[in-house]
Amino acid sequence: MSKPNNFVILGGGISGLSAAWYLSRYAPSTSKIIVLEGSSRFGGWIKSKRIGKHKILFEQGPRTLRPNGIGGSVVLDMVNKLNLIPSLHAVTKGDDAAKNRFIYYPDKIVKLPGTSLLSSMKSVFMNNFLLKSIPSILFEPFIKPARNYHDETIHEFISRRFNKSMSDILISALVHGIYAGDINKLSVRSTFTSLYNLEQNYGSVIKGLLMSNKEDFLSQQDKYLLKMINDENKELLEIIKNVSLYSFKDGIEQLSSAIVNDLKNKDNVQLKTNNQVTKLEFRGNVKIFTNEAVYEADHVISALPSRILYYILPEKNVLPHLDYNPSVSVATINLAYDHPKVLPIKGFGYLIPQSTPHNPYHVLGVVFDSNAMPLQDEPPRTYTKLTMMMGGHYFNSISEKDDFPKNEILLQQSIEILEKHLGIYSTPLYYLVDIQKNCIPQYYVGHYSRLKELHYAIKKHYANQLSVTGASYWGISINDCVLNSARLVLNILANSPNDVVTGLEKVEIQNEHYL
């Protein structure tokens, strides 16, 4: 069996683009790479738009990146190689957006403990639910750990190791900000993997935080990858070490656009939009049928949502669990005010816990964009920008019926909420309302075990013809998606022709814990 030389990548979001980019850099120049995207644009849920005569920048999807961890290093390496450093806009660890985080509970904005000891103590003593968390943190190291790689919901894990109040208020707010999901359904093993790993390896989250270092849970492959990246980016890493968050002058879409432009300059890469895959056939080669044409490949990399992959396979029951996890839809309401001081507080924004009473419009949180990235508009610091997120798991009952609230209703609800929460009575100069349908996969309890079964099924039925990447599997952030596509491609290129690569190899590693 020879190594694959003709690749077709399904899906032109950040995962598919990253897979194509790594193939274009590291595969032999004789390789052929085709990226098939069903819509009219690349980038997936990454959407940065400038609107109005003032060209105000609105982010409808992800808006910032973090430089931490191996995923952060891999993305920074990509940013550097794509010559995006001059466009990089950073928030340092001392900025308000990094220091000040808030939640809305039960009926007011509450500042969470931050980097300042005095400010943190004041926040704790002013809020009873934070005060109640102190004993649970102190006693957590003495709680008997769950062993044998037991999975449970985030709510069950946090309630068991700390207390129910911390789970219902603080952690559920964080889950709304990351997954827009239900803390009572999401798997702790697959979402808060670092906390899960700390208990498994140290018997306690707090002990683990004190005793572990950032490379304890990295595989040998990841350690090698991290060393290679660090050696090649010493100057950049020195500059970025005090950075908490970053984006780009024209928003996060600059990253996906830069990848597309780089790929367009490669002779062995073809980028196809408006090619929706309808069917796959696996014989000698793989045939990929779209609404526009039929393509052939030695190897197909699916960066499609797992449910979509399920529907285009020739036999629906050969690969298990592809359609198990749902995805949630999120309404984003971007608002810009023609005044720099509309907000009564400075910070990144606030999140709303699942346990907050009186949340009739199902608000997940509000980002203070003009604080988080103040220099993306010209002239800077002239406008106040906010983004409100609604729905997520609250929309589950209406997602399948596609009976979402109308845009004008979502806008009016947003204005009403901002009046109530922040005392903002101004009329926005610009606004943009959209519903990102099925944008965030939900890793329900047992996700890791299902990936293990899926991995072995791909090896058995589609050996060296199909592999998978994307947010359906190992993480939903941009850092996760880029990192997992990089791992997949490097595994395909490094392994012998008889080694089967699925994209889910982590399940085979004895010490499978990764940060």
Side-chain angles (χ1 to χ4, degrees), residues 91 95-97 343 345-348 368-374 385:
V91 172
D95 289 340
D96 289 328
L343 287 167
I345 51 178
K346 291 184 178 180
F348 188 82
F368 304 160
D369 296 297
S370 47
N371 283 354
M373 285 292 150
K385 293 193 304 184

Side-chain angles (χ1 to χ4, degrees), residues 201-215:
N201 288 310
Y202 296 95
S204 157
V205 173
I206 301 299
K207 281 182 186 176
L209 288 171
L210 295 173
M211 297 170 64
S212 65
N213 68 63
K214 63 183 181 181
E215 292 195 13

